Amino acid sequence: MVMRIRASIVALAVLLSGCMPIVAAVAGTPVGLRINTSHGLGNARGAVMDAGLKPSTEVDVTASSPYDGRPFLSPNQFITDAKNVGATILSSSFSGWDYIFDSAGYLQLAHNKMLHVFAYEPRKKQPLNVPPPAAFVTVNRIGGLTGDGIEFGVPTDYMNGRGQSTTPSGVTAQMAGLIASLKYLHPEWNWFDIKAALRGTAANYTTGYDPQKYGYGTIDFHAANALKESANLPLFAPAAVVRRQSDNQIDFHVNSFRQSRRQTDVLFRFLQPPAVTLKELSLADITAMGGQQLFIGDLSTTSNFISYRVHHDEKVYFVWFTKDAEGMFSRIEPYSIIGPIKLTSKQQLYGPRVKP
């Protein structure tokens, strides 16, 4: 059943960092970057300078407190703190990442047009095949911990500049500084566009997401910055995870990847596991793979929760896609395939259906 850019990007001055060109913006909208305590503050400011920008007027980098690690703010408290100072990008260089943060904080971050960069240093192993986050960015140093749900890696000598670090804390703040710089340099992009540019130019994009190799892999700030139109950025699927499963029902948290290209989210069911497919797909492509469309819509402004119920026993696989206005669907990454899921029918009046 189916339910139913422009501030100018100015790049006139070329600075050199080693042998890599960095384009400095002449105009743009100032970006506020808030660091959780002062932990990593120097790395964030250094990264902004490495990008050819000023960490006071063009990217305003501030700390929630003058103390290194005290008092650390929870994600919800940190959003309130950032709002109070007009910051739209947050950075937490601490351990304790958990994939549930993305679902729990998605609506508030998306509503406030914020992005939260968080160190990939979980206290426990993350569930197998969880996707990289939508409203957060997870990152660690190359050579450090990697695993399910990580999004990027950063070499400890990245850009050979003032933002580089040999610690997870430092590279997290460095990553936040570089992302904030991209937002200043591309004021017409939203945070999802910036994530799409970084994913699409990272080391593993052509071979597919790999949690054992830092997700989308080593970032390439220069390549991402060289991209222009948001309409040409690659399309990425929502971060969809199973919240709960009962006999006849499965509940999803669907954290939409709301890049400028996106029009809606779509859920398909497969009786056999679809192949990982590292290209954008048409409806005909997905249908030929055995996909049956179950839901199409946009819940991202009001909810990131949806349920699917069955009337007959099913052993199925689910894939959530992002669809654009031209009818193209995001590619199928390894984390896109949810299943196999065994659902057992119960006596009920209606089914099968998807309900919000």
Side-chain angles (χ1 to χ4, degrees):
M1 174 184 293
V2 179
M3 295 173 58
R4 295 289 286 168
I5 23 196
R6 151 126 11 226
S8 176
I9 305 173
V10 187
L12 301 178
V14 176
L15 303 179
L16 295 179
S17 174
C19 57
M20 293 298 293
I22 300 177
V23 180
V26 176
T29 303
V31 176
L33 167 57
R34 193 69 160 172
I35 304 297
N36 206 338
T37 80
S38 63
H39 196 49
L41 182 63
N43 300 101
R45 287 177 171 166
V48 173
M49 289 187 282
D50 291 342
L53 302 177
K54 300 173 183 177
S56 55
T57 57
E58 293 170 325
V59 177
D60 187 19
V61 187
T62 61
S64 62
S65 82
Y67 306 108
D68 187 3
R70 299 179 291 113
F72 172 73
L73 300 178
S74 70
N76 283 340
Q77 292 172 319
F78 198 21
I79 290 174
T80 300
D81 171 80
K83 288 174 66 176
N84 289 338
V85 298
T88 57
I89 177 170
L90 298 67
S91 180
S92 293
S93 292
F94 298 91
S95 62
W97 167 256
D98 195 302
Y99 80 102
I100 64 173
F101 289 174
D102 194 45
S103 295
Y106 177 83
L107 292 175
Q108 192 176 7
L109 285 166
H111 175 74
N112 287 291
K113 298 181 179 179
M114 290 178 171
L115 181 70
H116 193 162
V117 183
F118 211 106
Y120 187 83
E121 286 286 320
R123 293 192 179 96
K124 59 183 180 181
K125 187 175 181 179
Q126 298 296 282
L128 183 66
N129 217 36
V130 294
F136 284 76
V137 171
T138 47
V139 61
N140 206 346
R141 66 180 180 88
I142 299 295
L145 183 66
T146 186
D148 294 280
I150 196 170
E151 191 166 12
F152 298 112
V154 177
T156 56
D157 60 348
Y158 192 63
M159 294 176 73
N160 292 309
R162 286 161 283 194
Q164 66 180 330
S165 176
T166 60
T167 69
S169 296
V171 298
T172 299
Q174 179 188 24
M175 183 75 178
L178 293 174
I179 291 176
S181 298
L182 283 174
K183 186 71 174 79
Y184 181 85
L185 293 163
H186 299 268
E188 77 285 5
W189 289 0
N190 64 36
W191 291 121
F192 296 96
D193 293 329
I194 290 170
K195 280 165 60 79
L198 284 164
R199 287 182 177 189
T201 55
N204 298 340
Y205 177 71
T206 57
T207 54
Y209 178 91
D210 187 342
Q212 301 311 310
K213 296 181 179 179
Y214 304 91
Y216 284 104
T218 302
I219 63 166
D220 190 333
F221 173 86
H222 303 283
N225 186 42
L227 300 175
K228 302 299 180 184
E229 300 295 329
S230 61
N232 296 328
L233 296 173
L235 202 59
F236 288 93
V241 296
V242 175
R243 175 187 176 187
R244 180 179 56 220
Q245 180 185 346
S246 58
D247 290 338
N248 70 324
Q249 179 174 314
I250 184 169
D251 301 334
F252 296 99
H253 270 133
V254 183
N255 307 320
S256 302
F257 202 90
R258 294 171 58 182
Q259 60 191 106
S260 296
R261 274 188 66 189
R262 171 188 175 272
Q263 183 180 65
T264 190
D265 299 325
V266 190
L267 173 63
F268 281 83
R269 175 180 64 181
F270 298 81
L271 298 181
Q272 300 295 327
V276 171
T277 308
L278 302 180
K279 67 171 187 174
E280 293 180 11
L281 300 163
S282 66
L283 178 58
D285 292 330
I286 299 172
T287 302
M289 297 168 71
Q292 176 191 3
Q293 185 173 306
L294 298 176
F295 169 85
I296 183 168
D298 182 8
L299 300 172
S300 65
T301 59
T302 58
S303 172
N304 60 339
F305 172 76
I306 192 167
S307 295
Y308 170 75
R309 287 183 179 174
V310 299
H311 183 58
H312 302 287
D313 291 0
E314 291 185 356
K315 182 180 179 182
V316 294
Y317 299 80
F318 297 100
V319 177
W320 283 92
F321 293 88
T322 295
K323 177 179 172 291
D324 73 1
E326 303 301 318
M328 296 304 293
F329 295 78
S330 50
R331 64 194 205 163
I332 303 176
E333 294 278 11
Y335 61 76
S336 302
I337 305 167
I338 300 174
I341 301 292
K342 178 67 181 293
L343 297 171
T344 304
S345 65
K346 287 185 175 180
Q347 291 296 321
Q348 57 183 31
L349 295 176
Y350 305 101
R353 68 183 186 277
V354 170
K355 69 177 184 68

